Amino acid sequence: MRKIFLRALLAIAVAAVIILPSCAQPDTQSQNSTDSTLTFSWSQDVGPLNPHMYNPSQMFAQDLIYEPLVSYDRGGEIQPALAESWEVSPDGKLITFQLREGVQFSDGTPFDATAAKANFDQILQNRAEHDWLGLIEAIDRVEVQGDRTLQIYLKTPYYPALQELTLIRPVRFLSPKAFPDSGTTAEGIKAPIGTGPWVLADYQKDAQAVFKRNENYWGNKPAIEQVTVKIIPDAETRALAFENNEIDLIYGNGEISLDSFQQLRDSGNYTAEVSPPLNTRAIAINSNRGATADLKVRQAIQHSVNKDAIVSAIFYDTEQKADTYFSTEVPYADIGLQPYAYDLDQAKALLDEAGWQQPAGQEIRQKDGQPLTLDLSFSGENNVDKAIAEAVQADLRAVGVDVRLLGEEEQSWLDRQANGEFNLIFNDTWGPPYEPQAMVSSMRAPSHADYAAQQGLPMKAEIDRKIGEVLLTTDETSRQQLYRDILTTLHEQAVYLPISYSTNVAVMHKELSGFEFMPQANQVPLSKLSKS
Amino acid sequence: MKLTDHYISRRILQLIPVLLGISIVTFLLIQLMPSDPAAVVLRVANTPATPEAIAAMREKLGLDRPLPVQYFDWLWHVLRLDFGQSFVTGKPVLQEVMHYVPTTLILTACATLLIFAIGLPMGIVAALYRDTVFDQISRLFAYIGVAMPSFWLGFLLIYVFSFKLGWVSVIHQGRSPIGSCRHLP
């Protein structure tokens, strides 16, 4: 009796093991077998893809569909895009664009001056949302002259206007037919219809988004017909899917772990690339709180952190060590600042001078009976920052500074950036094309860590005045001088501890060709890729 | 028959205070969050969080009212299946949750099927042949299953069945049968 029962059970189990996998067998057609389609993967859903709004839309996907008036080339050069040419008036308060002829939105609506103005009007009705961007603040009104001429009137001269028009958001152009029936685009759009090289063809939230080549595109059409973006939140799963030939390309920063990147690169089976430096991973040092209010302590911190070790142990040398808050690639930032050398003796001497003495037999320095303890805040979800934080903690302990790691929920970390409750806090720069102008401009806004960090500087008012001036001046020489002053002061006051210049990494199968990195950090180079 | 009726209805009645308790605890846990929800909403919308903007948002969200009032207001809406609007997407929360229901149900059904196909027979056999090798193995299997963190186990299963054996795709989920896809013009 028992035996029969046992056999029956075994039979059921065996049947289940055989049948179940075949139920789940995927249809192999969906895999990337054809030459004209490409499968890419991203960690987050692409979002509603409203060109005039921010998260949860993903910037790379907005960039596939929508185009700017002018585009940003490496080193800050401005190139024609939807505008063929432009002219800035001598007083800097009027920019006149000649729009490209024969451009259509992917729904067939012509892109002309009226359509462009309609988009500006939508954005300008929602100024508070774009408060962080000086350009929107500066625009007074937008006017149309005939079919092809668009005039942007500014309240004050604003030299970075062209740079900020290249941004992926918010000034890109949606077909007026996709505007909502009532209200502005801030409340939502009917469909993501742009002029760009790609058209959204299918969208399944949190599963995938399919982009088809825009067959009526005015510029160079992509070589690939279709790109499928698979949403895979987990980096290790993405690496497995790549090795399993289910995706063609991995691209981005943090989209795969650097362990996986190194392993895929070293296998020799794939093409692996590291981009030029993008933004700066940095820690802001609060000049308005506790021990870090003292310049000597801030300088000592600069001398104590072994960035070479961090770059090699955490980034496997895929990133370069950063000596200055802005890399020398950034416009106006190549001004020959003297790096703070890794020098423990100098750090100790500075701390001694600042009155933080090391009592015999104790590890942590003291002043007036108080130990030298600093709070270092980071988002607990960010594993890279956590690893850097641990390295900084160990380095500072070597000179007698106790670092308390505050790895908190992301919103708490952002709270600290805004309210200044930190000694040290992770605060990365924004990369091209935001640097230096938008980043510097934000240093005046109280909700930014930069503002909190600089708050204790005796010359903060002067820094802010110069920032205001540098954005307004129409004279190139005085602009260079002002940037030199601002960046030199911030460097000398040691309010930022730059760690490394972050990069994008790319891994792709060898049959892909035409790969090149894009000038903006948040663009993914899909349009030039082809498959052999 | 009457007895089971009675038993089931009693259990359902007991569920009410439990659910109420859970809702209160959840509600209070959110209050422990260090960030001001009004500031977070503004941050998500990319609006500068000035004190005035925060105050206005607190009023708009009803966060300026006493806690019990907030709780009962929330409970009253939840009882009518109105979970409010998502701050991130601006869509009704219920709609956002419903989006994930089909996949969740499929996963749950598959897991149940596996329990019946593997877990139950193994348990019965192990019980019939107590302290035999089979019993020991099944016990070890169960311990490992419980002890291993699910994300790690999940990754290993993907690694073995999708990558090494190639039985299923690493990422392909298949179109869910219930209309979760939204076609665009």
Side-chain angles (χ1 to χ4, degrees):
Chain A
M1 182 60 203
R2 258 190 185 185
K3 276 203 172 145
I4 298 169
F5 188 61
L6 179 65
R7 278 188 192 149
L9 280 175
L10 266 175
I12 293 173
V14 169
V17 167
I18 294 168
I19 293 164
L20 280 177
S22 58
C23 294
Q25 199 76 255
D27 49 335
T28 40
Q29 293 217 320
S30 73
Q31 293 199 19
N32 52 328
S33 47
T34 59
D35 287 350
S36 54
T37 66
L38 183 141
T39 309
F40 176 61
S41 107
W42 196 249
S43 51
Q44 289 176 60
D45 184 62
V46 295
L49 299 177
N50 181 337
H52 304 155
M53 295 297 283
Y54 303 91
N55 293 339
S57 291
Q58 298 299 299
M59 292 174 89
F60 89 89
Q62 289 171 306
D63 181 59
L64 296 179
I65 298 178
Y66 305 106
E67 292 183 297
L69 286 175
V70 285
S71 69
Y72 183 92
D73 215 346
R74 218 168 280 292
E77 214 175 309
I78 305 296
Q79 300 286 352
L82 289 177
E84 275 178 328
S85 63
W86 57 92
E87 202 184 332
V88 182
S89 68
D91 68 353
K93 288 167 80 171
L94 168 64
I95 313 174
T96 309
F97 291 95
Q98 295 302 324
L99 303 184
R100 192 176 293 279
E101 243 172 287
V103 177
Q104 284 187 350
F105 289 101
S106 58
D107 63 355
T109 314
F111 170 79
D112 54 15
T114 318
K117 177 180 157 53
N119 273 272
F120 270 102
D121 290 346
Q122 295 285 318
I123 296 162
L124 293 178
Q125 282 182 48
N126 195 21
R127 278 179 199 261
E129 200 100 20
H130 314 296
D131 206 44
W132 63 278
L133 189 64
L135 168 73
I136 306 299
E137 182 73 25
I139 294 179
D140 181 44
R141 64 187 193 280
V142 177
E143 283 182 8
V144 171
Q145 292 271 319
D147 240 13
R148 305 251 71 87
T149 309
L150 188 76
Q151 295 174 310
I152 300 183
Y153 288 89
L154 303 179
K155 293 178 210 159
T156 52
Y158 185 67
Y159 96 86
L162 287 167
Q163 275 82 353
E164 295 188 357
L165 284 171
T166 68
L167 297 181
I168 292 174
R169 54 204 191 186
V171 192
R172 292 206 177 184
F173 300 91
L174 174 74
S175 167
K177 282 195 185 141
F179 285 11
D181 291 327
S182 63
T184 65
T185 50
E187 281 121 65
I189 58 171
K190 281 186 189 160
I193 308 287
T195 58
W198 300 96
V199 179
L200 183 65
D202 184 34
Y203 170 67
Q204 295 164 48
K205 187 172 188 248
D206 285 329
Q208 65 174 23
V210 178
F211 295 88
K212 281 210 157 66
R213 177 168 70 196
N214 180 357
E215 298 297 346
N216 296 318
Y217 186 52
W218 59 268
N220 292 328
K221 278 181 212 139
I224 301 258
E225 270 172 38
Q226 181 178 308
V227 171
T228 304
V229 181
K230 293 271 184 191
I231 310 305
I232 308 176
D234 178 55
E236 300 306 331
T237 311
R238 182 172 7 266
L240 273 189
F242 175 80
E243 280 193 273
N244 212 23
N245 257 319
E246 291 179 48
I247 56 181
D248 296 299
L249 167 73
I250 297 176
Y251 183 90
N253 184 311
E255 291 292 306
I256 53 169
S257 69
L258 289 171
D259 288 301
S260 302
F261 177 75
Q262 201 181 27
Q263 182 215 329
L264 293 172
R265 182 180 58 186
D266 294 349
S267 77
N269 298 328
Y270 312 105
T271 313
E273 307 268 1
V274 178
S275 78
L278 300 166
N279 61 328
T280 314
R281 295 182 191 273
I283 294 173
I285 308 178
N286 196 338
S287 62
N288 196 30
R289 189 180 171 90
T292 46
D294 188 337
L295 174 62
K296 291 207 168 75
V297 174
R298 297 199 299 272
Q299 287 170 334
I301 293 171
Q302 305 276 348
H303 287 296
S304 333
V305 175
N306 186 352
K307 297 173 192 172
D308 286 320
I310 291 176
V311 162
S312 100
I314 298 173
F315 298 114
Y316 301 133
D317 295 313
T318 59
E319 300 194 354
Q320 288 169 25
K321 170 174 89 159
D323 286 322
T324 51
Y325 193 46
F326 294 121
S327 91
T328 51
E329 307 266 317
V330 170
Y332 305 107
D334 191 3
I335 50 174
L337 295 171
Q338 188 64 37
Y340 291 93
Y342 174 53
D343 185 341
L344 295 184
D345 291 332
Q346 196 169 352
K348 286 176 189 160
L350 281 161
L351 289 171
D352 286 338
E353 275 175 51
W356 292 97
Q357 304 294 340
Q358 194 143 22
Q362 286 203 23
E363 215 185 347
I364 301 305
R365 288 169 186 269
Q366 290 187 355
K367 183 156 108 179
D368 307 330
Q370 293 295 314
L372 180 45
T373 300
L374 304 177
D375 288 339
L376 169 54
S377 164
F378 57 95
S379 163
E381 294 151 36
N382 190 326
N383 290 325
V384 173
D385 284 358
K386 180 162 173 269
I388 298 174
E390 285 162 356
V392 168
Q393 183 184 43
D395 281 348
L396 287 178
R397 182 159 286 262
V399 294
V401 180
D402 176 33
V403 175
R404 198 158 49 187
L405 298 186
L406 299 174
E408 293 169 303
E409 193 258 334
E410 182 157 7
Q411 295 300 335
S412 305
W413 166 65
L414 293 170
D415 278 349
R416 285 183 192 274
Q417 289 211 336
N419 62 26
E421 286 175 12
F422 62 87
N423 291 112
L424 304 165
I425 197 162
F426 279 86
N427 181 51
D428 295 352
T429 67
W430 302 343
Y434 300 95
E435 292 173 12
Q437 74 287 347
M439 193 72 209
V440 168
S441 172
S442 79
M443 290 174 181
R444 298 173 297 171
S447 59
H448 286 265
D450 296 275
Y451 178 84
Q454 296 172 18
Q455 197 49 31
L457 298 182
M459 66 296 275
K460 175 61 177 159
E462 200 195 332
I463 294 174
D464 284 0
R465 184 182 60 75
K466 284 184 174 162
I467 292 174
E469 225 173 288
V470 79
L471 297 172
L472 295 185
T473 179
T474 50
D475 177 41
E476 185 64 28
T477 327
S478 65
R479 191 182 303 148
Q480 281 174 2
Q481 188 54 45
L482 284 163
Y483 269 126
R484 177 180 290 273
D485 289 355
I486 296 166
L487 299 181
T488 307
T489 307
L490 293 176
H491 185 74
E492 284 171 359
Q493 291 298 318
V495 280
Y496 297 106
L497 173 65
I499 303 285
S500 67
Y501 299 117
S502 83
T503 50
N504 278 328
V505 299
V507 195
M508 68 208 90
H509 289 277
K510 283 209 161 134
E511 70 263 25
L512 283 187
S513 56
F515 177 83
E516 60 182 57
F517 284 102
M518 304 289 273
Q520 294 195 34
N522 293 306
Q523 295 173 308
V524 179
L526 295 171
S527 296
K528 287 182 184 161
L529 284 179
S530 59
K531 238 177 180 180
S532 54
Chain B
M1 197 63 206
K2 273 247 154 106
L3 229 163
T4 40
D5 268 0
H6 181 65
Y7 177 74
I8 289 171
S9 53
R10 207 176 55 199
R11 293 297 296 194
I12 290 176
L13 280 176
Q14 278 173 355
L15 211 59
I16 294 174
V18 172
L19 284 176
L20 266 180
I22 291 174
S23 76
I24 291 176
V25 170
T26 319
F27 186 81
L28 291 177
L29 271 180
I30 291 174
Q31 303 300 320
L32 289 178
M33 201 171 73
S35 302
D36 181 351
V40 174
V41 172
L42 290 171
R43 200 177 288 146
V44 169
N46 215 46
T47 314
T50 58
E52 299 80 50
I54 292 179
M57 183 54 76
R58 288 186 68 85
E59 202 182 317
K60 187 180 160 199
L61 297 176
L63 294 171
D64 50 347
R65 297 170 302 170
L67 268 190
V69 177
Q70 287 185 42
Y71 172 72
F72 283 112
D73 184 53
W74 172 77
L75 189 66
W76 175 237
H77 284 98
V78 164
L79 286 176
R80 292 176 299 158
L81 289 182
D82 174 7
F83 294 89
Q85 305 256 316
S86 158
F87 302 131
V88 180
T89 61
K91 291 187 188 137
V93 171
L94 188 63
Q95 188 185 326
E96 296 280 301
V97 173
M98 288 311 283
H99 176 82
Y100 300 101
V101 166
T103 315
T104 309
L105 287 181
I106 291 171
L107 276 177
T108 317
C110 288
T112 316
L113 212 67
L114 283 177
I115 290 170
F116 279 110
I118 300 172
L120 204 62
M122 259 177 82
I124 295 170
V125 172
L128 288 176
Y129 299 93
R130 256 189 83 179
D131 297 328
T132 59
V133 180
F134 182 85
D135 182 29
Q136 306 288 359
I137 292 172
S138 75
R139 218 180 292 170
L140 188 70
F141 183 69
Y143 282 139
I144 292 173
V146 171
M148 204 181 288
S150 55
F151 62 87
W152 174 238
L153 181 63
F155 180 78
L156 285 183
L157 289 175
I158 292 175
Y159 182 78
V160 172
F161 289 101
S162 299
F163 185 64
K164 283 290 172 197
L165 298 173
W167 286 6
V168 288
S169 149
V170 175
I171 49 176
H172 192 77
Q173 184 209 330
R175 256 162 215 269
S176 80
I178 307 153
S180 64
C181 58
R182 180 163 67 89
H183 283 276
L184 289 141

